[in-house]
Amino acid sequence: MNPRPARTGATKQKLFDATLNLAGSRGMVGLTVDEIAAEAGVAKGTVYYNFGSKDGLIDALLRYGVDLLAARLRAAETAVGPLDTVHDLVDGMLAFFAEYPTFAQLLVSELWRTPGQWHQTLALLREEVTSIIRGQLQRLEDAGDLPEGVRVRTAAASLFGTVLVVALDWQVFEPEQSRDEVRESVLLLVRGLRGKV
């Protein structure tokens, strides 16, 4: 058995964690490979060996984060009924952003920056996330559980954007609130606007 893949995975995780830690306090653009390597406790060459460059590391980090978020959103596929589906989507996003608050910060700061250095990657990743939400909302529409006139594509982007900004606001300005309280506030808003859910 070759231990190298596990060791490589652990090293990449250390670099991801170090990058998120530094980005949370300083932002992404000004980070250097030297700082990331020092924070991770590895040699500078380790970054280049695993990712080719700082940009390669950040690109991989963003993809890794979206893969984790997508896995949480896919849990809604097992939900029965509109309330459970929307509950699971909102809760999955809030749980992810509670565990990775810097990722929410990165998405908010980098996704809409024009022109952003990682805009193309983030646009693709945003599409991946919103397509999962769209799929769940389409399922509700097909069952007649969305009000007439609700556009699934717009609703999916709205739900993602709302929860992303609410999660960041929660982490920065109201960390004393529980995830349950935040989720219920979002769901009350959604139910009030949509009527059926």
Side-chain angles (χ1 to χ4, degrees), residues 41-119:
V42 300
K44 179 179 176 178
T46 304
V47 175
Y48 294 111
Y49 174 78
N50 283 281
F51 301 104
S53 65
K54 175 186 138 183
D55 288 348
L57 165 61
I58 293 171
D59 188 81
L61 170 64
L62 294 171
R63 292 174 189 278
Y64 169 76
V66 167
D67 285 347
L68 293 175
L69 175 56
R72 306 253 176 132
L73 294 175
R74 286 191 181 99
E77 292 172 356
T78 61
V80 178
L83 182 57
D84 288 341
T85 299
V86 175
H87 174 282
D88 289 356
L89 288 170
V90 171
D91 195 57
M93 286 186 277
L94 287 174
F96 173 79
F97 292 130
E99 190 172 343
Y100 301 98
T102 302
F103 201 78
Q105 185 180 350
L106 287 173
L107 286 174
V108 168
S109 66
E110 296 296 329
L111 191 55
W112 291 283
R113 183 196 310 253
T114 308
Q117 188 169 357
W118 297 282
H119 182 76

Side-chain angles (χ1 to χ4, degrees), residues 129-140 142 152 156:
V129 169
T130 57
S131 72
I132 295 169
I133 298 170
R134 267 197 320 272
Q136 297 311 308
L137 296 181
Q138 185 63 57
R139 187 168 63 100
L140 297 181
D142 293 347
V152 169

